[in-house]
Amino acid sequence: MSVRNTLILNHSDLKYLLIDSLRLYSDNVVFIDGNNPYRFSINKKTFYVLIKNVHESGDGRGNQDECRIQISQSKNFNDAMNSKTEVIVLGYFADEKVFTAWNPYLMRDRFNQKQTISLYSRFSIQKEANTTKISAYRDTNGQSVLSFQPDYLGLYLENLSKIHLLTDAELFDLVRQSDNLNNKNLDGEVDYPEGHLTITHTRYKRDPRFKSIVYNAYNNKCAMCSIGLELIEAAHIVPHSHEKGTDEIGNGISLCALHHTAYDRSLIYFDTEFNILINTTKMEYLEKVGLDSGFRKFQALAFDKIQLPTNHTLHPNIENINLANQSRGII
Ligand SMILES: [Zn+2]
């Protein structure tokens, strides 16, 4: 039997993996709440996502290529299934860095019948998806189980109702069209015999007025490290994608390009007393997946406290700070 050295991600790792993956597709991503299933919105549409590590099937399996996830009934999951929000079931196979998705429209009935269900796919399909971006396993019932790179999780969710019906050629075409549009920051629509599919790569443009108000308030310096050097950006505290993500000064902070990205990636944040904090659960996740290089340098760069404007009326709004940390999946 082949021994796979599979990396297993925990609940918070999987949450950050989901947020990071969805943002490859659109800026309009908000983490709402939940702990596997997680509730997210992307392009203003809300989903529950239940995600499990893909692993080998049980000892008795006859096919070495077979892999699966197992889902047990739980209160969290049942509540999600009983809501009107779509519930998506995903597997993640860290060795190949791909997601695997089973048709959610076939799930509800099965969950009502059994305490635990197993959903199967093939290791070879996941390996293939790592190279070809997307790949479909069709089981004995003709059901398509899709494996794809993280870049296409948003595309998958956006076209959930039809994507499992596409042929291999149509899947490759959809991914190619999504890449083309993403390179040009454009949105689009594609017609297939199975129906109309949409591609929405929402990328926000910055409001120039917001920018100048924030720059002036913070004296053209990063509030976390005081670097200026034309590297500063006007960051939204509550993300612009959120309905409360306004362009007012109480929702703005001046950050250098590094700290702006780190803040939006939930790597660094600040609390309502303006202490600057490293998000240790995200760091643990990055360490696990081998993306933690330069951490000490990064940590040394930030002060302990946000460098606030002298004028109190220009300070970040406390409610915004809490909402921001929640919508970034931190608290
Ligand atoms: Zn900075």
Side-chain angles (χ1 to χ4, degrees):
M1 186 186 281
S2 64
V3 178
R4 287 171 205 276
N5 195 11
T6 304
L7 178 68
I8 298 295
L9 300 179
N10 67 27
H11 278 205
S12 56
D13 299 336
L14 292 167
K15 176 174 73 178
Y16 292 121
L17 170 74
L18 286 174
I19 298 174
D20 287 354
S21 301
L22 289 172
R23 290 210 174 129
L24 295 171
Y25 184 73
S26 168
D27 285 346
N28 195 348
V29 173
V30 178
F31 171 73
I32 302 170
D33 56 16
N35 186 16
N36 217 0
Y38 304 98
R39 194 152 54 128
F40 285 94
S41 79
I42 178 163
N43 296 330
K44 305 223 179 284
K45 214 174 160 219
T46 303
F47 299 92
Y48 275 108
V49 178
L50 180 83
I51 178 164
K52 299 272 178 179
N53 292 280
V54 171
H55 52 80
E56 293 176 339
S57 296
D59 284 342
R61 74 204 168 118
N63 183 346
Q64 295 298 308
D65 193 23
E66 187 180 86
C67 57
R68 70 176 173 185
I69 62 167
Q70 285 182 299
I71 303 159
S72 304
Q73 281 190 1
S74 71
K75 191 182 171 298
N76 281 353
F77 188 55
N78 293 351
D79 287 352
M81 289 299 268
N82 291 329
S83 74
K84 283 189 180 136
T85 305
E86 303 270 24
V87 184
I88 316 305
V89 175
L90 290 180
Y92 184 69
F93 187 46
D95 294 19
E96 300 292 350
K97 298 188 176 68
V98 296
F99 289 104
T100 292
W102 289 264
N103 190 339
Y105 300 100
L106 303 171
M107 299 284 168
R108 283 177 191 259
D109 290 347
R110 292 186 64 185
F111 281 107
N112 290 337
Q113 287 162 11
K114 279 189 160 180
Q115 281 294 319
T116 302
I117 69 163
S118 296
L119 299 172
Y120 295 92
S121 186
R122 295 289 179 265
F123 284 117
S124 55
I125 295 287
Q126 294 173 104
K127 196 175 169 59
E128 193 175 282
N130 178 302
T131 316
T132 59
K133 302 180 179 175
I134 194 161
S135 183
Y137 164 60
R138 293 174 205 278
D139 67 16
T140 43
N141 301 320
Q143 197 41 240
S144 96
V145 179
L146 302 178
S147 291
F148 46 82
Q149 293 178 358
D151 309 57
Y152 308 104
L153 180 59
L155 181 70
Y156 172 77
L157 292 180
E158 189 161 55
N159 294 292
L160 197 63
S161 64
K162 297 180 191 109
I163 197 164
H164 282 276
L165 307 174
L166 299 185
T167 63
D168 285 358
E170 288 165 346
L171 287 170
F172 290 135
D173 185 59
L174 181 67
V175 158
R176 189 184 52 80
Q177 304 227 35
S178 176
D179 286 348
N180 282 345
L181 292 167
N182 207 2
N183 290 337
K184 297 180 203 149
N185 274 353
L186 292 173
D187 299 335
E189 289 172 344
V190 199
D191 279 311
Y192 295 103
E194 292 76 13
H196 196 68
L197 275 72
T198 52
I199 301 169
T200 318
H201 296 296
T202 308
R203 302 288 176 208
Y204 291 119
K205 292 187 182 68
R206 305 284 160 196
D207 171 3
R209 215 177 63 88
F210 175 68
K211 204 161 133 177
S212 72
I213 293 169
V214 171
Y215 284 14
N216 286 336
Y218 288 82
N219 217 2
N220 295 297
K221 285 190 257 185
C222 172
M224 288 189 179
C225 71
S226 91
I227 284 176
L229 306 173
E230 298 186 323
L231 289 171
I232 61 158
E233 297 175 354
H236 286 90
I237 295 173
V238 177
H240 203 214
S241 52
H242 196 284
E243 57 183 353
K244 294 190 175 156
T246 63
D247 279 342
E248 282 154 23
I249 186 65
N251 193 40
I253 186 165
S254 162
L255 295 176
C256 68
L258 178 70
H259 283 124
H260 189 181
T261 307
Y263 185 46
D264 282 345
R265 294 273 169 197
S266 313
L267 193 57
I268 199 165
Y269 66 107
F270 55 101
D271 65 15
T272 52
E273 279 156 11
F274 301 106
N275 297 304
I276 300 174
L277 301 157
I278 299 279
N279 181 4
T280 49
T281 55
K282 174 107 193 209
M283 265 315 302
E284 284 162 15
Y285 160 62
L286 294 179
E287 202 178 330
K288 239 182 242 184
V289 297
L291 295 175
D292 61 323
S293 85
F295 172 64
R296 292 202 181 283
K297 240 184 241 179
F298 175 74
Q299 198 180 25
L301 201 57
F303 299 123
D304 294 336
K305 289 244 178 197
I306 291 288
Q307 308 294 294
L308 291 165
T310 38
N311 179 347
H312 281 248
T313 62
L314 304 175
H315 287 193
N317 176 306
I318 300 295
E319 275 174 32
N320 287 342
I321 298 172
N322 281 327
L323 189 57
N325 292 338
Q326 191 201 335
S327 72
R328 286 178 168 81
I330 296 166
I331 51 168

